[in-house]
Amino acid sequence: MSKHKVLILHGPNLNLLGRREPEVYGKKTLADIDRLIKERAAVLEIQVAAFQSNYEGQLIDRIQDARGNYDGILINPGALTHYSYSLRDALTAAGLPLVEVHLSNIFAREEFRQHSVISPVASGVICGFGATGYLLGLDALLAVIKER
Ligand code: CA2
């Protein structure tokens, strides 16, 4: 059987990780997080490809290309979480198992962060566990893919 393939998407401003606001988002850089994800993927014997963009349209292009090429999507949509119906529509259209991850506990933050327009189309959401959330999310996503 060929390896399952997962697309990891990081939204706007996540390229700043580790360099600003470490008290909110932790000290790890995005490269550190991608390395941890790849290590976990090797243990799980799955393939991952990671992509970060500050542009909504670039994320949508990747999601459109994912249909037929990936078995699932793990996404931290950044602030697009809270208002991007275009991102949500693309994720719905992709029709792939989807896990939403947030570094911070969005429910313990400003009111505008407490609502996600992405969560209703996700298989599940993990938030508040920092970089570990991506690894928990990868495990959860693989379980959903296998159940499908
Ligand atoms: O907690 C999360 O993972 C968020 O998705 C991060 C987004 C934020 O808009 C969401 O409400 C919650 C922001 C990512 C910005 O990351 C930065 C990292 C370092 C310095 C500044 C921003």
Side-chain angles (χ1 to χ4, degrees), residues 13-14 16-17 20-21 25 76 78-79 82 102-104 113:
N13 294 311
L14 287 160
L16 297 176
L17 282 179
R20 312 243 180 86
E21 297 186 61
Y25 297 116
N76 181 345
H82 314 299
H102 299 285
L103 292 152
S104 62
R113 295 190 202 276

Side-chain angles (χ1 to χ4, degrees), residues 8 26 29 64 71 95 108 121 124 126 134:
I8 314 287
T29 65
Q64 289 185 3
D71 302 299
V121 302
I126 293 174
Y134 288 89

